[in-house]
């Protein structure tokens, strides 16, 4: 259908700029949050190398509930404060975890995951969802990924 993915490997900052630009174009004018989360997850999958899972958990009745994603079937409900996703949701701060096995309370949905980044999606001061990316490579994510994905989280905050 839509092929937005860059033809060649890009430096992280350029990759995330291109990803945010594609995501902005794709959600423009569409107000269905599920459709927008699904397309953003698919875009991440096309753009970002070395992932085994990418997608959303939404805040529903005070807990995180699985949303649109790419990857293997995952845990459905995560309480605020638990695991990497619940920690991002409870703190409102991005979590970059170089080694998931060293993160207390990490929830192993996919045994392939070795490192993980989770960004809170905040609208009007409320965490309405989190964006979760998992990698089979240890130490896959750093501040550059956090900064780049922040643009995507800001787009998602308005589009879901
Ligand atoms: N590992 C996450 C759970 C979600 S899965 O990775 C898709 C966590 O600890 O919150």
């Amino acid at each position: 259908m839509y092929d937005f993915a860059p033809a060649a490997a890009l430096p992280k900052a350029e990759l995330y700029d291109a990803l945010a630009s594609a995501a902005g174009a794709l959600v423009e004018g569409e107000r269905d949050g599920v459709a927008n989360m699904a397309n953003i997850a698919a875009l991440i999958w096309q753009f970002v190398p070395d992932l085994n899972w990418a997608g959303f958990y939404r805040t529903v009745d005070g807990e995180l509930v699985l949303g649109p994603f790419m990857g293997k079937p995952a845990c459905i409900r995560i309480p605020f404060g638990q695991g990497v996703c619940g920690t991002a949701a409870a703190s409102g701060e991005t979590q970059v975890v170089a080694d998931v096995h060293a993160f207390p309370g990490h929830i192993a949905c996919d045994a392939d995951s070795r490192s993980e980044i989770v960004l809170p999606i905040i609208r009007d001061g409320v965490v309405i969802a989190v964006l979760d990316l998992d990698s089979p490579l240890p130490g896959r994510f750093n501040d550059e990924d956090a900064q780049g994905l922040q643009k995507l989280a800001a787009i998602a905050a308005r589009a879901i």
Side-chain angles (χ1 to χ4, degrees):
M1 293 295 285
Y2 301 108
D3 194 357
F4 289 99
L10 294 172
K12 281 186 181 181
E14 287 176 43
L15 179 99
Y16 287 118
D17 279 349
L19 173 55
S21 166
L26 204 47
V27 305
E28 176 74 34
E30 177 50 63
R31 64 179 186 281
D32 189 281
V34 173
N36 287 335
M37 283 186 276
N39 263 340
I40 290 171
L43 271 184
I44 294 169
W45 202 247
Q46 279 193 329
F47 271 72
V48 183
D50 301 322
L51 301 181
N52 60 302
W53 202 91
F56 293 88
Y57 281 86
R58 303 153 298 127
T59 303
V60 180
D61 296 335
E63 65 180 341
L64 293 172
V65 182
L66 184 63
F69 67 94
M70 303 290 283
K72 289 181 184 168
C75 328
I76 297 171
R77 293 175 185 271
I78 299 176
F80 268 47
Q82 286 190 18
V84 186
C85 290
T87 300
S91 65
E93 289 174 5
T94 296
Q95 305 294 307
V96 179
V97 179
D99 176 3
V100 295
H101 299 308
F103 187 93
H106 168 255
I107 300 164
C109 289
D110 182 343
D112 289 343
S113 298
R114 294 293 311 279
S115 60
E116 180 163 1
I117 184 169
V118 183
L119 294 94
I121 296 177
I122 301 172
R123 185 164 68 211
D124 299 330
V126 176
V127 177
I128 58 169
V130 300
L131 176 61
D132 180 16
L133 278 65
D134 289 28
S135 174
L137 306 180
R140 162 69 181 78
F141 307 104
N142 60 17
D143 281 351
E144 270 192 295
D145 298 278
Q147 283 172 22
L149 286 166
Q150 185 48 48
K151 293 170 196 152
L152 205 57
I155 290 167
R158 298 189 299 272
I160 70 173

